Amino acid sequence: MLKVLNPTAGPARGTSGVAPRLATLDGKTLGVIWNGRAYGDRILSEVLDLLKQRYRVRDVLFREKPFLGNIAPEPLLAEIAARADAAITGVGD
Amino acid sequence: MSDVPLAAEQIDVEDVFAAIELYHERGWTDGLPVVPPTEKRVRALLDAAGLAPARVLGEIPERDRVITAEHLAINAAMAGCLPAYMPVLAAAVEAITDPAYRFNHMASLGSPWPLFIVNGPLARALRFNSGLYLFGPAARANATCARAISLLLWNCAEARPDGIQRGQWGNPFRAVGFIAEDESTAWDPLHVVLGHPRETTTVTAISLYPGFQQLHCARSTPEGLLDTVVDAISTDEFFRGTYTLFVSPQHVAVFVAHGWTKRHVRDYLWERCGRSVADLKRRGTWGVMADKPAGFADVARDVLPGDETRFVHLFKPNEYDRFMQATGALERGADIYVVVGGGNAGIRMAYVVPYGVSTDPVTKPVRAAAPTG
């Protein structure tokens, strides 16, 4: 018989994960961060058009990251966090 | 030996072979068998570095992961590392979790992976290979330390194809990317060039695109040797960053005979690497490199009058660097590291291409073992 050790590490603090979902987008402001990949702005615009058809979205903050390979700058994240009710972002590849 | 309890789950298995199969079944290995990590072996690794199990070596906030000495020791045991390697591995983890390394870029389609370069007395004492067959496999220290970091990030940071590692081609440096520099020549080793004392052991992590390029450099003057390198680097990825050139001791002798230091080599490449706008347009790099903010789908690719003589420096800031300005790469700058290694005889140099736009190289000193507490 032999005892061996589990080599993995899970999330340490539970600080990553899915944010609480909104019940509706009616009357909400959406933050959108385009990572800069070609045509990503067009796809996101299409998505926003669909959302606007289904919900009475109050406003949209459309922002672009300076570079897709880097985390969005702190001021951009702070603006989205302060002014938007929900945010759409992702790697997008 | 420290008697602080380990945090990891302990699993009963029948024997070594059952343990090897268990790690395959649970997806805890990279396709090769592992050395079953027992508590005794893991404690030997921790004690060799004087590290308490819970000692935090680094954090990866975007994955909400904390890498402890115990995590590293378990994965190093699996890779077959000797306990004496542990202080070097701890420095390697500190390097890639340093904010300047920007761990988030590791998920890229470009398959970036760190190459680790060990300098200083421990590199020799632990018998890291710096010579023949540098990119191996050749030596236990190189092969097992490379795999230890690969397994650690596989198991503790989801850096695997079914996790966050979305690389298109993968990166062979996961298996062989842990090397030493040959410090026996007249040139200052990398860590001294970077400002560290010669008697300090350091680990430098540089995030690279996959693989390396060897170059047939059959000339007998410094300029002749380096013009081959200028030509090759200028036609490669063409992203600003810190490139690394590997020079054999035989070529170092040529440079030294002409009074050239590493700095001369670096400056020669710095001044000359680049291409004309016409070249960049013909290869489809122009829109990506220079006009990204305008959306490269809309950039005119036709070669215009004057493009043949408009020279775009790879390393030096210039008027065409809107893309680099956008990435912040200009503010961070770039560099060319010159590292001695490989077989003494031979007319080939080699270089590696950095994943330069999103990451910077990081050098950390290796701390001597202290009593665990």
Side-chain angles (χ1 to χ4, degrees):
Chain A
M1 211 57 157
L2 193 64
K3 279 188 187 297
V4 292
L5 298 169
N6 181 333
T8 63
R13 300 186 177 88
T15 53
S16 69
V18 179
R21 307 289 86 177
L22 297 174
T24 178
L25 294 180
D26 290 341
K28 304 296 186 188
T29 296
L30 290 181
V32 181
I33 302 176
W34 172 34
N35 75 352
R37 277 283 192 213
Y39 306 117
D41 52 339
R42 300 180 196 183
I43 293 172
L44 285 167
S45 294
E46 292 289 327
V47 171
L48 287 170
D49 286 345
L50 290 171
L51 289 173
K52 286 173 182 171
Q53 287 171 22
R54 295 184 192 182
Y55 303 98
R56 294 186 300 279
V57 175
R58 188 177 67 197
D59 198 7
V60 173
L61 302 174
F62 194 99
R63 300 289 182 265
E64 181 189 353
K65 288 206 297 185
F67 181 58
L68 60 95
N70 293 342
I71 294 172
E74 194 59 41
L76 193 159
L77 295 175
E79 182 198 12
I80 296 282
R83 294 181 53 197
D85 300 295
I88 299 174
T89 185
V91 174
D93 288 330
Chain B
M1 179 184 287
S2 165
D3 55 2
V4 179
L6 299 183
E9 170 197 14
Q10 301 223 6
I11 306 160
D12 289 322
V13 289
E14 191 175 323
D15 57 18
V16 169
F17 298 104
I20 290 170
E21 291 308 317
L22 175 83
Y23 286 73
H24 281 298
E25 288 164 10
R26 297 203 178 182
W28 291 345
T29 180
D30 50 15
L32 286 171
V34 299
V35 175
T38 61
E39 180 169 351
K40 182 180 177 185
R41 187 66 176 174
V42 168
R43 287 195 182 281
L45 281 147
L46 291 166
D47 290 347
L51 292 169
R55 167 71 175 275
V56 174
L57 298 178
E59 297 190 31
I60 306 170
E62 54 269 46
R63 307 308 306 163
D64 189 22
R65 295 298 198 277
V66 171
I67 306 294
T68 65
E70 179 179 331
H71 293 137
L72 174 60
I74 294 172
N75 284 278
M78 291 163 61
C81 289
L82 289 172
Y85 303 160
M86 190 64 180
V88 176
L89 290 169
V93 173
E94 289 172 357
I96 58 174
T97 52
D98 188 290
Y101 184 77
R102 297 175 181 80
F103 191 90
N104 75 303
H105 79 274
M106 297 274 284
S108 169
L109 286 166
S111 303
W113 194 261
L115 169 69
F116 298 95
I117 302 171
V118 190
N119 279 104
L122 263 184
R124 294 180 289 280
L126 297 175
R127 302 176 72 178
F128 277 93
N129 181 34
S130 63
L132 210 62
Y133 229 55
L134 180 62
F135 291 112
R140 179 176 184 175
N142 300 44
T144 60
C145 286
R147 191 166 180 233
I149 298 297
S150 181
L151 286 173
L152 176 75
L153 299 186
W154 178 286
N155 284 317
C156 298
E158 301 177 279
R160 51 179 192 270
D162 65 346
I164 63 159
Q165 227 310 331
R166 311 308 295 169
Q168 182 179 11
W169 299 110
N171 197 321
F173 283 122
R174 287 188 81 136
V176 296
F178 218 118
I179 63 171
E181 178 170 16
D182 181 343
E183 300 183 14
S184 67
T185 72
W187 274 356
D188 284 336
L190 176 65
H191 68 312
V192 173
V193 171
L194 295 175
H196 297 268
R198 191 174 295 267
E199 291 312 308
T200 298
T201 298
T202 62
V203 179
T204 298
I206 311 173
S207 191
L208 302 179
Y209 283 116
F212 66 95
Q213 183 66 46
Q214 66 172 19
L215 302 171
H216 193 269
C217 301
R219 309 280 292 279
S220 57
T221 63
E223 294 88 349
L225 292 171
L226 292 177
D227 284 344
T228 307
V229 181
V230 169
D231 180 64
I233 288 180
S234 300
T235 55
D236 211 310
E237 189 79 14
F238 214 80
F239 277 159
R240 185 186 306 274
T242 296
Y243 285 63
T244 305
L245 177 70
F246 296 95
V247 184
S248 73
Q250 178 178 332
H251 277 152
V252 174
V254 173
F255 287 111
V256 170
H258 287 79
W260 283 50
T261 64
K262 283 185 173 181
R263 182 73 197 186
H264 291 108
V265 172
R266 181 259 187 210
D267 289 351
Y268 191 89
L269 300 177
W270 181 271
E271 290 293 327
R272 287 164 181 78
C273 286
R275 300 187 76 179
S276 70
V277 171
D279 278 348
L280 293 171
K281 283 185 173 179
R282 279 192 285 264
R283 67 168 289 183
T285 303
W286 175 245
V288 178
M289 198 287 299
D291 285 334
K292 154 67 182 54
F296 55 79
D298 302 313
V299 172
R301 297 276 174 80
D302 295 339
V303 175
L304 304 174
D307 283 352
E308 299 284 0
T309 54
R310 291 166 68 196
F311 189 78
V312 182
H313 280 282
L314 175 56
F315 293 110
K316 294 166 68 176
N318 59 65
E319 63 185 292
Y320 310 118
D321 271 324
R322 277 187 283 156
F323 173 70
M324 291 300 168
Q325 287 160 7
T327 63
L330 279 185
E331 288 72 22
R332 297 203 302 277
D335 207 346
I336 303 155
Y337 289 172
V338 180
V339 173
V340 182
N344 184 40
I347 56 173
R348 290 178 176 84
M349 294 199 202
Y351 73 92
V352 288
V353 179
Y355 192 88
V357 289
S358 305
T359 170
D360 289 312
V362 177
T363 300
K364 294 288 184 182
V366 175
R367 283 192 287 271
T372 49

